[in-house]
Coordinates of all heavy atoms in Angstrom, one line a residue:
M1 N -107.9 -20.7 106.4 CA -107.2 -19.7 107.0 C -106.8 -19.9 108.4 O -107.8 -20.1 109.2 CB -108.0 -18.4 106.8 CG -107.1 -17.1 107.0 SD -108.1 -15.7 107.2 CE -109.2 -15.7 105.9
Y2 N -105.6 -19.9 108.8 CA -105.2 -20.1 110.1 C -105.0 -18.9 111.0 O -104.2 -18.0 110.7 CB -103.9 -21.0 110.2 CG -103.4 -21.2 111.6 CD1 -104.2 -22.1 112.5 CD2 -102.3 -20.6 112.1 CE1 -103.8 -22.3 113.8 CE2 -101.9 -20.9 113.5 CZ -102.6 -21.7 114.2 OH -102.2 -21.9 115.5
T3 N -106.0 -18.7 111.9 CA -106.0 -17.4 112.7 C -106.0 -17.8 114.2 O -107.0 -18.0 114.7 CB -107.1 -16.5 112.4 OG1 -108.3 -17.3 112.3 CG2 -106.9 -15.8 111.0
P4 N -104.9 -17.9 114.8 CA -104.8 -18.2 116.2 C -105.5 -17.2 117.1 O -105.5 -16.0 116.7 CB -103.4 -18.4 116.6 CG -102.7 -17.5 115.5 CD -103.5 -17.7 114.2
C5 N -105.9 -17.6 118.2 CA -106.6 -16.7 119.1 C -105.7 -15.6 119.6 O -104.6 -15.9 120.0 CB -107.2 -17.5 120.3 SG -107.8 -16.5 121.7
P6 N -106.1 -14.3 119.5 CA -105.2 -13.2 119.9 C -105.1 -13.1 121.4 O -104.3 -12.5 122.0 CB -105.9 -12.0 119.3 CG -107.3 -12.4 119.2 CD -107.3 -13.9 118.9
C7 N -106.0 -13.8 122.1 CA -106.0 -13.8 123.5 C -105.0 -14.8 124.2 O -104.2 -14.4 124.9 CB -107.5 -14.0 124.0 SG -108.0 -13.0 125.4
C8 N -105.2 -16.0 123.7 CA -104.3 -17.1 124.3 C -103.5 -17.8 123.3 O -102.8 -18.7 123.7 CB -105.2 -18.1 125.1 SG -106.3 -19.0 124.0
N9 N -103.5 -17.3 122.1 CA -102.7 -17.9 121.0 C -103.0 -19.4 120.7 O -102.2 -20.0 120.0 CB -101.2 -17.7 121.3 CG -100.5 -17.5 120.0 OD1 -101.0 -17.0 119.0 ND2 -99.1 -18.0 120.0
S10 N -104.2 -19.8 121.0 CA -104.6 -21.2 120.7 C -105.0 -21.3 119.3 O -105.6 -20.4 118.7 CB -105.8 -21.6 121.6 OG -106.4 -22.7 121.2
G11 N -104.8 -22.5 118.7 CA -105.2 -22.8 117.4 C -106.5 -23.4 117.2 O -107.1 -23.6 116.2
R12 N -107.1 -23.7 118.5 CA -108.5 -24.3 118.5 C -109.5 -23.3 118.3 O -110.1 -22.8 119.3 CB -108.7 -25.1 119.8 CG -107.8 -26.4 119.9 CD -108.2 -27.1 121.1 NE -109.5 -27.5 121.1 CZ -110.3 -27.7 122.2 NH1 -109.7 -27.4 123.4 NH2 -111.5 -28.1 122.1
V13 N -109.7 -22.9 117.1 CA -110.6 -21.7 116.8 C -111.7 -22.2 115.8 O -111.4 -22.9 114.8 CB -109.8 -20.6 116.2 CG1 -110.7 -19.6 115.6 CG2 -108.9 -19.9 117.3
I14 N -112.9 -21.8 115.9 CA -114.0 -22.2 115.0 C -114.5 -20.9 114.4 O -114.4 -19.8 114.9 CB -115.1 -22.9 115.6 CG1 -115.7 -22.1 116.8 CG2 -114.7 -24.3 116.1 CD1 -117.1 -22.6 117.3
T15 N -115.1 -21.0 113.2 CA -115.7 -19.8 112.5 C -117.2 -20.0 112.7 O -117.7 -21.1 112.5 CB -115.3 -19.8 111.0 OG1 -115.6 -21.0 110.4 CG2 -113.9 -19.4 110.9
K16 N -117.9 -19.0 113.0 CA -119.3 -19.0 113.3 C -120.1 -18.8 112.0 O -121.3 -19.4 111.9 CB -119.7 -18.0 114.3 CG -119.0 -18.3 115.6 CD -119.5 -17.4 116.8 CE -119.1 -16.0 116.6 NZ -119.5 -15.2 117.8
N17 N -119.7 -18.0 111.1 CA -120.4 -17.8 109.8 C -121.8 -17.4 110.0 O -122.7 -17.8 109.1 CB -120.3 -19.1 108.9 CG -118.8 -19.4 108.5 OD1 -118.0 -18.4 108.4 ND2 -118.5 -20.6 108.3
I18 N -122.1 -16.6 110.9 CA -123.5 -16.1 111.2 C -123.9 -15.3 109.9 O -125.0 -15.5 109.4 CB -123.6 -15.3 112.4 CG1 -123.2 -16.1 113.6 CG2 -124.9 -14.6 112.5 CD1 -123.1 -15.3 114.9
G19 N -123.1 -14.4 109.5 CA -123.4 -13.5 108.4 C -123.7 -14.3 107.1 O -124.6 -14.1 106.4
R20 N -122.8 -15.3 106.9 CA -123.0 -16.1 105.7 C -124.3 -16.9 105.6 O -125.0 -17.0 104.7 CB -121.8 -17.0 105.5 CG -121.8 -17.7 104.1 CD -120.4 -18.3 103.8 NE -120.2 -19.4 104.6 CZ -119.0 -20.2 104.6 NH1 -118.1 -19.8 103.8 NH2 -118.9 -21.2 105.4
T21 N -124.6 -17.6 106.8 CA -125.8 -18.3 106.9 C -127.0 -17.4 106.8 O -127.9 -17.7 106.0 CB -125.8 -19.0 108.3 OG1 -124.6 -19.7 108.4 CG2 -127.0 -20.0 108.3
T22 N -127.0 -16.3 107.5 CA -128.1 -15.4 107.5 C -128.3 -14.8 106.1 O -129.4 -14.7 105.6 CB -127.9 -14.2 108.5 OG1 -127.6 -14.8 109.8 CG2 -129.2 -13.4 108.7
G23 N -127.2 -14.4 105.5 CA -127.2 -13.7 104.2 C -127.8 -14.7 103.2 O -128.5 -14.4 102.3
G24 N -127.4 -16.0 103.3 CA -127.8 -17.0 102.4 C -129.3 -17.2 102.4 O -130.0 -17.3 101.4
V25 N -129.8 -17.2 103.6 CA -131.3 -17.4 103.8 C -132.0 -16.2 103.2 O -133.0 -16.3 102.5 CB -131.6 -17.6 105.3 CG1 -133.1 -17.6 105.5 CG2 -131.0 -18.9 105.8
I26 N -131.6 -15.0 103.7 CA -132.2 -13.8 103.2 C -132.2 -13.7 101.7 O -133.1 -13.3 101.0 CB -131.6 -12.5 103.9 CG1 -131.9 -12.5 105.4 CG2 -132.1 -11.2 103.2 CD1 -131.1 -11.5 106.2
G27 N -131.0 -13.9 101.2 CA -130.8 -13.9 99.7 C -131.7 -14.9 99.0 O -132.3 -14.5 97.9
S28 N -131.8 -16.1 99.6 CA -132.7 -17.0 98.9 C -134.1 -16.6 98.8 O -134.8 -16.8 97.8 CB -132.6 -18.4 99.7 OG -131.3 -18.9 99.6
V29 N -134.6 -16.1 100.0 CA -136.0 -15.6 100.0 C -136.2 -14.5 99.1 O -137.1 -14.5 98.3 CB -136.3 -15.1 101.5 CG1 -137.7 -14.5 101.5 CG2 -136.3 -16.3 102.4
G30 N -135.2 -13.5 99.1 CA -135.4 -12.3 98.3 C -135.2 -12.7 96.8 O -136.0 -12.2 96.0
G31 N -134.3 -13.7 96.6 CA -134.2 -14.1 95.2 C -135.4 -14.9 94.7 O -135.8 -14.7 93.5
A32 N -135.9 -15.7 95.5 CA -137.2 -16.5 95.2 C -138.3 -15.5 94.9 O -139.1 -15.8 94.0 CB -137.5 -17.4 96.3
A33 N -138.4 -14.5 95.7 CA -139.4 -13.4 95.5 C -139.2 -12.8 94.1 O -140.2 -12.6 93.4 CB -139.4 -12.4 96.6
S34 N -138.0 -12.4 93.8 CA -137.8 -11.7 92.6 C -137.9 -12.7 91.5 O -138.3 -12.4 90.3 CB -136.4 -11.0 92.5 OG -135.4 -11.9 92.7
G35 N -137.6 -14.0 91.7 CA -137.7 -15.0 90.8 C -139.1 -15.3 90.5 O -139.6 -15.6 89.3
A36 N -140.0 -15.1 91.5 CA -141.4 -15.3 91.3 C -142.0 -14.3 90.5 O -142.8 -14.5 89.7 CB -142.1 -15.3 92.7
A37 N -141.5 -13.0 90.7 CA -141.9 -11.9 89.9 C -141.5 -12.1 88.4 O -142.3 -11.9 87.5 CB -141.3 -10.6 90.4
G38 N -140.3 -12.6 88.2 CA -139.9 -13.0 86.9 C -140.6 -14.2 86.4 O -140.9 -14.2 85.1
A39 N -141.1 -15.0 87.2 CA -141.9 -16.2 86.9 C -143.2 -15.8 86.2 O -143.7 -16.4 85.3 CB -142.0 -17.2 88.0
L40 N -143.8 -14.7 86.7 CA -145.0 -14.2 86.2 C -144.9 -13.8 84.7 O -145.7 -14.1 83.9 CB -145.4 -13.0 87.0 CG -146.0 -13.4 88.4 CD1 -146.5 -12.1 89.1 CD2 -147.1 -14.4 88.4
S41 N -143.8 -13.0 84.4 CA -143.6 -12.6 83.1 C -143.2 -13.9 82.2 O -143.5 -14.0 81.1 CB -142.5 -11.5 82.9 OG -141.3 -11.9 83.6
G42 N -142.4 -14.8 83.0 CA -142.1 -16.1 82.2 C -143.3 -16.8 81.9 O -143.4 -17.4 80.9
A43 N -144.2 -16.8 82.8 CA -145.5 -17.5 82.7 C -146.3 -16.8 81.5 O -146.9 -17.6 80.7 CB -146.3 -17.5 83.9
E44 N -146.3 -15.6 81.4 CA -147.0 -14.8 80.4 C -146.3 -15.2 79.0 O -147.1 -15.5 78.1 CB -146.8 -13.3 80.6 CG -147.9 -12.8 81.6 CD -147.7 -11.3 81.8 OE1 -147.2 -10.6 80.9 OE2 -148.2 -10.9 82.9
I45 N -145.0 -15.2 79.0 CA -144.2 -15.5 77.7 C -144.6 -17.0 77.4 O -145.0 -17.3 76.2 CB -142.8 -15.3 77.8 CG1 -142.5 -13.9 78.1 CG2 -142.1 -15.8 76.6 CD1 -141.1 -13.6 78.4
G46 N -144.5 -17.8 78.4 CA -144.8 -19.3 78.1 C -146.2 -19.5 77.7 O -146.5 -20.2 76.8
G47 N -147.1 -18.7 78.3 CA -148.6 -18.8 78.0 C -148.8 -18.3 76.5 O -149.5 -18.9 75.8
A48 N -148.1 -17.2 76.2 CA -148.2 -16.6 74.8 C -147.8 -17.6 73.8 O -148.4 -17.9 72.8 CB -147.5 -15.4 74.7
L49 N -146.6 -18.3 74.1 CA -146.0 -19.2 73.2 C -146.9 -20.5 73.2 O -147.1 -21.1 72.1 CB -144.6 -19.6 73.6 CG -143.6 -18.6 73.4 CD1 -142.2 -19.0 74.0 CD2 -143.4 -18.2 71.9
G50 N -147.4 -20.8 74.3 CA -148.3 -22.0 74.4 C -149.6 -21.9 73.8 O -150.3 -22.9 73.6
V51 N -150.0 -20.7 73.4 CA -151.3 -20.4 72.7 C -151.4 -21.3 71.5 O -152.4 -21.9 71.1 CB -151.6 -19.0 72.3 CG1 -152.7 -18.8 71.3 CG2 -151.7 -18.1 73.6
V52 N -150.2 -21.5 70.9 CA -150.2 -22.4 69.7 C -150.6 -23.8 70.0 O -151.3 -24.4 69.3 CB -148.8 -22.4 69.0 CG1 -148.7 -23.2 67.8 CG2 -148.3 -20.9 68.8
G53 N -150.2 -24.2 71.3 CA -150.6 -25.6 71.7 C -151.9 -25.7 72.4 O -152.1 -26.8 72.9
G54 N -152.6 -24.6 72.4 CA -153.9 -24.7 73.1 C -153.8 -24.6 74.6 O -152.7 -24.2 75.1
P55 N -154.9 -24.8 75.3 CA -154.9 -24.7 76.8 C -153.8 -25.4 77.5 O -153.1 -24.9 78.5 CB -156.2 -25.3 77.2 CG -157.1 -25.2 75.9 CD -156.1 -25.3 74.7
V56 N -153.5 -26.6 77.0 CA -152.4 -27.4 77.7 C -151.1 -26.7 77.5 O -150.2 -26.6 78.4 CB -152.3 -28.8 77.1 CG1 -151.2 -29.7 77.7 CG2 -153.7 -29.6 77.3
G57 N -150.9 -26.2 76.3 CA -149.6 -25.5 76.1 C -149.5 -24.2 77.0 O -148.4 -23.9 77.4
I58 N -150.6 -23.5 77.1 CA -150.6 -22.4 78.0 C -150.2 -22.8 79.4 O -149.4 -22.1 80.1 CB -151.9 -21.6 78.0 CG1 -152.2 -21.1 76.6 CG2 -152.0 -20.6 79.0 CD1 -153.7 -20.5 76.3
A59 N -150.8 -23.8 79.9 CA -150.6 -24.3 81.3 C -149.1 -24.7 81.4 O -148.4 -24.3 82.4 CB -151.5 -25.4 81.7
L60 N -148.7 -25.5 80.5 CA -147.3 -26.0 80.6 C -146.3 -24.9 80.5 O -145.3 -24.9 81.3 CB -147.0 -27.0 79.5 CG -147.6 -28.4 79.7 CD1 -147.3 -29.4 78.5 CD2 -147.2 -29.1 80.9
G61 N -146.5 -24.0 79.6 CA -145.6 -22.8 79.5 C -145.6 -22.0 80.7 O -144.5 -21.6 81.2
G62 N -146.7 -21.7 81.3 CA -146.8 -21.0 82.5 C -146.1 -21.7 83.7 O -145.3 -21.1 84.5
I63 N -146.3 -23.0 83.9 CA -145.7 -23.7 85.0 C -144.2 -23.7 84.8 O -143.5 -23.5 85.7 CB -146.3 -25.2 85.0 CG1 -147.8 -25.1 85.4 CG2 -145.5 -26.1 86.0 CD1 -148.5 -26.4 85.2
A64 N -143.7 -24.0 83.6 CA -142.3 -24.1 83.4 C -141.6 -22.8 83.7 O -140.6 -22.7 84.3 CB -142.0 -24.5 81.9
G65 N -142.2 -21.6 83.2 CA -141.7 -20.3 83.5 C -141.7 -20.1 85.0 O -140.7 -19.5 85.5
A66 N -142.7 -20.4 85.8 CA -142.7 -20.2 87.1 C -141.7 -21.0 87.9 O -141.0 -20.5 88.8 CB -144.2 -20.5 87.7
I67 N -141.5 -22.2 87.6 CA -140.6 -23.1 88.2 C -139.2 -22.6 88.0 O -138.3 -22.4 88.9 CB -140.7 -24.5 87.7 CG1 -142.0 -25.1 88.3 CG2 -139.5 -25.4 88.3 CD1 -142.3 -26.5 87.8
L68 N -138.9 -22.3 86.7 CA -137.5 -21.9 86.4 C -137.2 -20.5 87.0 O -136.1 -20.3 87.6 CB -137.4 -21.7 84.8 CG -137.3 -23.0 84.1 CD1 -137.2 -22.8 82.6 CD2 -136.0 -23.9 84.5
G69 N -138.2 -19.6 87.0 CA -138.0 -18.3 87.6 C -137.7 -18.4 89.2 O -136.7 -17.9 89.7
G70 N -138.5 -19.2 89.8 CA -138.3 -19.4 91.2 C -137.0 -20.1 91.6 O -136.2 -19.7 92.5
L71 N -136.6 -21.1 90.9 CA -135.4 -21.9 91.2 C -134.2 -21.0 91.0 O -133.3 -20.9 91.9 CB -135.3 -23.1 90.3 CG -136.1 -24.3 90.7 CD1 -135.9 -25.5 89.8 CD2 -135.7 -24.8 92.1
F72 N -134.1 -20.4 89.7 CA -132.9 -19.6 89.4 C -132.8 -18.4 90.3 O -131.7 -18.0 90.8 CB -132.9 -19.2 88.0 CG -132.5 -20.4 87.1 CD1 -133.3 -20.9 86.2 CD2 -131.2 -20.8 87.1 CE1 -132.9 -22.0 85.3 CE2 -130.7 -21.9 86.3 CZ -131.7 -22.5 85.4
G73 N -133.9 -17.8 90.6 CA -134.0 -16.5 91.4 C -133.5 -16.9 92.9 O -132.7 -16.2 93.4
G74 N -134.0 -18.0 93.4 CA -133.6 -18.5 94.8 C -132.1 -18.8 94.8 O -131.4 -18.4 95.7
A75 N -131.6 -19.5 93.8 CA -130.2 -20.0 93.8 C -129.3 -18.7 93.7 O -128.3 -18.6 94.4 CB -129.9 -20.9 92.7
A76 N -129.6 -17.9 92.7 CA -128.8 -16.7 92.5 C -128.9 -15.7 93.7 O -127.8 -15.2 94.1 CB -129.2 -15.9 91.3
G77 N -130.0 -15.6 94.3 CA -130.1 -14.7 95.5 C -129.4 -15.3 96.6 O -128.7 -14.6 97.4
G78 N -129.5 -16.6 96.9 CA -128.8 -17.2 97.9 C -127.3 -17.1 97.9 O -126.6 -16.8 98.8
L79 N -126.8 -17.2 96.6 CA -125.4 -17.0 96.4 C -124.9 -15.7 96.7 O -123.9 -15.4 97.4 CB -125.0 -17.4 95.0 CG -123.6 -17.9 94.7 CD1 -123.2 -19.1 95.4 CD2 -123.5 -18.1 93.1
A80 N -125.7 -14.7 96.2 CA -125.3 -13.3 96.4 C -125.4 -13.0 97.9 O -124.5 -12.3 98.4 CB -126.3 -12.4 95.6
G81 N -126.4 -13.4 98.5 CA -126.7 -13.1 100.0 C -125.5 -13.8 100.8 O -125.0 -13.1 101.7
A82 N -125.1 -15.0 100.5 CA -124.1 -15.6 101.1 C -122.7 -14.9 101.0 O -121.9 -14.9 101.9 CB -123.9 -17.1 100.7
T83 N -122.5 -14.4 99.8 CA -121.2 -13.7 99.5 C -121.2 -12.4 100.3 O -120.1 -12.1 100.9 CB -121.2 -13.4 98.0 OG1 -121.3 -14.6 97.3 CG2 -119.8 -12.7 97.6
I84 N -122.3 -11.7 100.4 CA -122.4 -10.4 101.1 C -122.2 -10.8 102.6 O -121.5 -10.1 103.3 CB -123.7 -9.7 100.9 CG1 -123.7 -9.3 99.4 CG2 -123.8 -8.5 101.8 CD1 -125.1 -8.8 99.0
G85 N -122.9 -11.8 103.1 CA -122.8 -12.2 104.5 C -121.4 -12.6 104.9 O -121.0 -12.3 106.0
E86 N -120.7 -13.2 103.9 CA -119.4 -13.7 104.2 C -118.5 -12.5 104.4 O -117.6 -12.5 105.2 CB -118.8 -14.5 103.0 CG -117.8 -15.5 103.4 CD -117.5 -16.4 102.2 OE1 -118.4 -17.2 101.8 OE2 -116.4 -16.3 101.7
Q87 N -118.7 -11.4 103.6 CA -117.9 -10.2 103.8 C -118.2 -9.5 105.2 O -117.4 -9.1 105.8 CB -118.3 -9.2 102.7 CG -118.0 -9.6 101.3 CD -116.5 -9.7 101.1 OE1 -115.7 -8.8 101.5 NE2 -116.0 -10.9 100.6
L88 N -119.5 -9.6 105.6 CA -119.9 -9.1 106.9 C -119.2 -10.0 108.0 O -118.7 -9.3 108.9 CB -121.4 -9.3 107.0 CG -122.3 -8.1 106.7 CD1 -123.7 -8.5 106.9 CD2 -121.9 -6.9 107.5
D89 N -119.2 -11.3 107.8 CA -118.4 -12.1 108.8 C -117.0 -11.7 108.9 O -116.5 -11.5 110.0 CB -118.5 -13.6 108.3 CG -119.8 -14.3 108.7 OD1 -120.4 -13.9 109.7 OD2 -120.1 -15.2 108.1
E90 N -116.3 -11.4 107.8 CA -114.9 -11.2 107.8 C -114.6 -9.8 108.4 O -113.6 -9.6 109.0 CB -114.4 -11.3 106.3 CG -114.5 -12.6 105.7 CD -113.3 -13.6 106.3 OE1 -112.3 -13.0 106.7 OE2 -113.6 -14.8 106.3
R91 N -115.4 -8.8 108.1 CA -115.1 -7.4 108.4 C -115.8 -6.9 109.6 O -115.3 -6.0 110.2 CB -115.4 -6.6 107.2 CG -114.4 -6.9 106.0 CD -114.8 -6.4 104.7 NE -114.1 -7.1 103.7 CZ -113.8 -6.6 102.5 NH1 -114.1 -5.3 102.3 NH2 -113.1 -7.2 101.6
V92 N -117.1 -7.3 109.8 CA -117.9 -6.6 110.8 C -118.1 -7.5 112.0 O -117.8 -7.1 113.1 CB -119.2 -6.2 110.2 CG1 -120.0 -5.4 111.3 CG2 -119.0 -5.4 109.0
L93 N -118.6 -8.7 111.8 CA -118.9 -9.5 112.9 C -117.7 -10.3 113.5 O -116.7 -10.4 112.7 CB -119.9 -10.6 112.5 CG -121.3 -10.1 111.9 CD1 -122.0 -11.2 111.3 CD2 -122.1 -9.3 112.9
N94 N -117.7 -10.6 114.7 CA -116.7 -11.4 115.3 C -116.9 -12.9 114.9 O -117.6 -13.6 115.6 CB -116.7 -11.3 116.9 CG -116.2 -9.9 117.3 OD1 -115.5 -9.2 116.6 ND2 -116.7 -9.4 118.4
N95 N -116.3 -13.3 113.8 CA -116.6 -14.5 113.2 C -115.8 -15.7 113.8 O -116.2 -16.8 113.7 CB -116.3 -14.5 111.7 CG -116.9 -15.7 111.0 OD1 -117.9 -16.1 111.3 ND2 -116.2 -16.2 109.9
Y96 N -114.8 -15.4 114.5 CA -113.9 -16.4 115.1 C -114.2 -16.6 116.6 O -114.3 -15.6 117.3 CB -112.5 -16.1 114.8 CG -112.1 -16.2 113.4 CD1 -112.3 -15.0 112.6 CD2 -111.7 -17.3 112.8 CE1 -112.0 -15.1 111.2 CE2 -111.4 -17.4 111.4 CZ -111.6 -16.3 110.7 OH -111.3 -16.3 109.3
E97 N -114.2 -17.8 117.1 CA -114.5 -18.1 118.5 C -113.4 -19.1 118.9 O -113.2 -20.2 118.3 CB -115.8 -18.6 118.7 CG -116.1 -18.9 120.2 CD -117.6 -19.2 120.5 OE1 -118.4 -19.3 119.5 OE2 -117.9 -19.4 121.7
C98 N -112.7 -18.7 120.0 CA -111.7 -19.6 120.5 C -112.3 -20.6 121.4 O -113.1 -20.3 122.3 CB -110.6 -18.8 121.3 SG -109.4 -19.7 122.2
L99 N -112.0 -21.9 121.2 CA -112.5 -23.0 122.0 C -111.8 -23.1 123.4 O -112.3 -23.8 124.3 CB -112.4 -24.3 121.3 CG -113.3 -24.4 120.0 CD1 -113.0 -25.7 119.2 CD2 -114.7 -24.2 120.3
E100 N -110.6 -22.5 123.5 CA -109.8 -22.6 124.7 C -110.4 -21.6 125.8 O -110.7 -21.9 126.9 CB -108.4 -22.3 124.5 CG -107.7 -23.4 123.6 CD -107.6 -24.7 124.4 OE1 -107.6 -24.7 125.6 OE2 -107.6 -25.8 123.7
C101 N -110.5 -20.3 125.3 CA -110.9 -19.3 126.3 C -112.2 -18.6 126.0 O -112.7 -17.8 126.8 CB -109.8 -18.2 126.4 SG -109.7 -17.2 124.9
G102 N -112.8 -19.0 124.9 CA -114.1 -18.4 124.6 C -114.1 -17.0 124.0 O -115.2 -16.4 123.7
H103 N -112.9 -16.5 123.7 CA -112.8 -15.2 123.1 C -113.3 -15.1 121.7 O -113.0 -16.1 121.0 CB -111.4 -14.8 123.2 CG -111.1 -13.4 122.6 ND1 -111.6 -12.3 123.2 CD2 -110.4 -13.0 121.6 CE1 -111.1 -11.2 122.6 NE2 -110.5 -11.6 121.5
T104 N -114.1 -14.2 121.3 CA -114.5 -14.0 120.0 C -113.9 -12.8 119.3 O -113.7 -11.7 120.0 CB -116.1 -13.8 119.9 OG1 -116.5 -12.8 120.7 CG2 -116.8 -15.1 120.4
Y105 N -113.6 -13.0 118.1 CA -112.8 -11.8 117.4 C -113.0 -12.0 115.9 O -113.4 -13.0 115.4 CB -111.4 -11.9 117.8 CG -110.6 -13.1 117.4 CD1 -109.9 -13.2 116.2 CD2 -110.8 -14.3 118.2 CE1 -109.3 -14.4 115.9 CE2 -110.1 -15.5 117.8 CZ -109.4 -15.6 116.7 OH -108.8 -16.7 116.4
S106 N -112.7 -10.9 115.2 CA -112.6 -10.9 113.7 C -111.2 -10.8 113.3 O -110.3 -10.5 114.1 CB -113.4 -9.7 113.2 OG -112.9 -8.5 113.6
V107 N -110.9 -11.1 112.0 CA -109.6 -11.1 111.6 C -108.9 -9.8 111.7 O -107.7 -9.7 112.0 CB -109.6 -11.5 110.0 CG1 -108.2 -11.6 109.5 CG2 -110.3 -12.8 109.9
N108 N -109.6 -8.7 111.4 CA -109.1 -7.4 111.4 C -108.7 -6.8 112.8 O -108.0 -5.8 112.9 CB -109.9 -6.4 110.7 CG -110.0 -6.8 109.2 OD1 -109.1 -7.4 108.6 ND2 -111.1 -6.5 108.6
S109 N -109.4 -7.4 113.9 CA -109.2 -6.8 115.2 C -108.0 -7.3 115.8 O -107.6 -8.4 115.6 CB -110.4 -7.0 116.0 OG -110.6 -8.4 116.2
Ligands
ZN1 ZN1 -108.2 -18.0 123.2

Protein backbone atom coordinates (compact mmCIF):
# COMPACT_ATOMS: atom_id res chain seq x y z
CA MET A 1 0.00 0.00 0.00
CA TYR A 2 1.53 3.32 -1.04
CA THR A 3 0.82 6.06 1.45
CA PRO A 4 3.02 9.14 1.04
CA CYS A 5 3.79 11.26 4.06
CA PRO A 6 0.97 13.78 4.65
CA CYS A 7 3.54 16.20 6.02
CA CYS A 8 6.16 16.41 3.26
CA ASN A 9 4.58 14.07 0.67
CA SER A 10 7.66 11.85 0.67
CA GLY A 11 7.37 8.24 -0.44
CA ARG A 12 10.13 7.11 1.91
CA VAL A 13 7.77 5.69 4.49
CA ILE A 14 8.11 2.60 6.67
CA THR A 15 5.49 0.65 8.58
CA LYS A 16 6.23 -0.07 12.22
CA ASN A 17 3.75 -2.91 12.76
CA ILE A 18 3.97 -2.59 16.53
CA GLY A 19 0.45 -3.88 17.00
CA ARG A 20 0.95 -6.86 14.71
CA THR A 21 4.18 -7.90 16.41
CA THR A 22 2.81 -7.38 19.91
CA GLY A 23 -0.48 -9.04 19.05
CA GLY A 24 1.34 -12.01 17.57
CA VAL A 25 3.40 -12.52 20.71
CA ILE A 26 0.43 -12.10 23.04
CA GLY A 27 -1.68 -14.37 20.87
CA SER A 28 1.03 -17.03 20.78
CA VAL A 29 1.35 -17.02 24.55
CA GLY A 30 -2.41 -17.04 25.08
CA GLY A 31 -2.88 -19.66 22.40
CA ALA A 32 -0.16 -21.86 23.86
CA ALA A 33 -1.79 -21.52 27.28
CA SER A 34 -5.19 -22.55 25.98
CA GLY A 35 -3.44 -25.17 23.89
CA ALA A 36 -1.80 -26.48 27.03
CA ALA A 37 -5.20 -26.65 28.69
CA GLY A 38 -6.45 -28.54 25.66
CA ALA A 39 -3.35 -30.69 25.84
CA LEU A 40 -4.39 -31.84 29.31
CA SER A 41 -7.66 -33.20 28.00
CA GLY A 42 -5.78 -34.45 24.95
CA ALA A 43 -3.41 -36.21 27.29
CA GLU A 44 -6.36 -37.73 29.15
CA ILE A 45 -7.90 -38.97 25.92
CA GLY A 46 -4.54 -40.20 24.70
CA GLY A 47 -3.95 -41.85 28.05
CA ALA A 48 -7.38 -43.48 28.00
CA LEU A 49 -6.80 -44.81 24.50
CA GLY A 50 -3.28 -45.77 25.44
CA VAL A 51 -4.51 -47.99 28.29
CA VAL A 52 -4.90 -50.67 25.65
CA GLY A 53 -1.19 -50.37 24.95
CA GLY A 54 -0.17 -50.39 28.60
CA PRO A 55 2.02 -47.81 30.39
CA VAL A 56 3.99 -46.97 27.25
CA GLY A 57 0.76 -46.32 25.35
CA ILE A 58 -0.48 -44.04 28.11
CA ALA A 59 2.76 -42.05 28.09
CA LEU A 60 2.91 -41.78 24.31
CA GLY A 61 -0.74 -40.78 24.06
CA GLY A 62 -0.31 -38.13 26.72
CA ILE A 63 2.85 -36.68 25.16
CA ALA A 64 1.34 -36.59 21.66
CA GLY A 65 -1.77 -34.86 22.96
CA ALA A 66 0.27 -32.28 24.86
CA ILE A 67 2.57 -31.47 21.93
CA LEU A 68 -0.25 -31.17 19.41
CA GLY A 69 -2.34 -29.04 21.77
CA GLY A 70 0.53 -26.66 22.48
CA LEU A 71 1.64 -26.32 18.87
CA PHE A 72 -1.78 -25.80 17.34
CA GLY A 73 -2.88 -23.53 20.16
CA GLY A 74 0.21 -21.35 19.82
CA ALA A 75 -0.02 -21.12 16.04
CA ALA A 76 -3.73 -20.36 16.00
CA GLY A 77 -3.39 -17.86 18.83
CA GLY A 78 -0.45 -16.14 17.17
CA LEU A 79 -2.36 -15.81 13.92
CA ALA A 80 -5.42 -14.42 15.65
CA GLY A 81 -3.32 -12.01 17.72
CA ALA A 82 -1.42 -10.81 14.66
CA THR A 83 -4.66 -10.19 12.79
CA ILE A 84 -6.11 -8.18 15.65
CA GLY A 85 -2.81 -6.30 16.09
CA GLU A 86 -2.78 -5.50 12.39
CA GLN A 87 -6.21 -3.93 12.73
CA LEU A 88 -4.88 -1.90 15.65
CA ASP A 89 -1.92 -0.78 13.53
CA GLU A 90 -4.19 0.31 10.72
CA ARG A 91 -6.82 2.08 12.75
CA VAL A 92 -5.47 3.13 16.11
CA LEU A 93 -1.69 3.32 16.19
CA ASN A 94 0.40 5.60 14.03
CA ASN A 95 1.79 2.74 12.01
CA TYR A 96 3.57 4.80 9.35
CA GLU A 97 6.78 6.71 9.86
CA CYS A 98 8.26 9.10 7.35
CA LEU A 99 12.01 8.68 6.87
CA GLU A 100 12.34 12.22 5.52
CA CYS A 101 10.81 14.28 8.31
CA GLY A 102 10.13 11.69 11.03
CA HIS A 103 6.38 12.29 11.01
CA THR A 104 4.29 9.36 12.23
CA TYR A 105 0.72 8.86 11.11
CA SER A 106 -1.98 6.31 10.45
CA VAL A 107 -3.80 5.75 7.19
CA ASN A 108 -7.04 7.30 8.41
CA SER A 109 -5.54 10.49 9.80
ZN1 LIG B 1 7.43 13.41 5.89
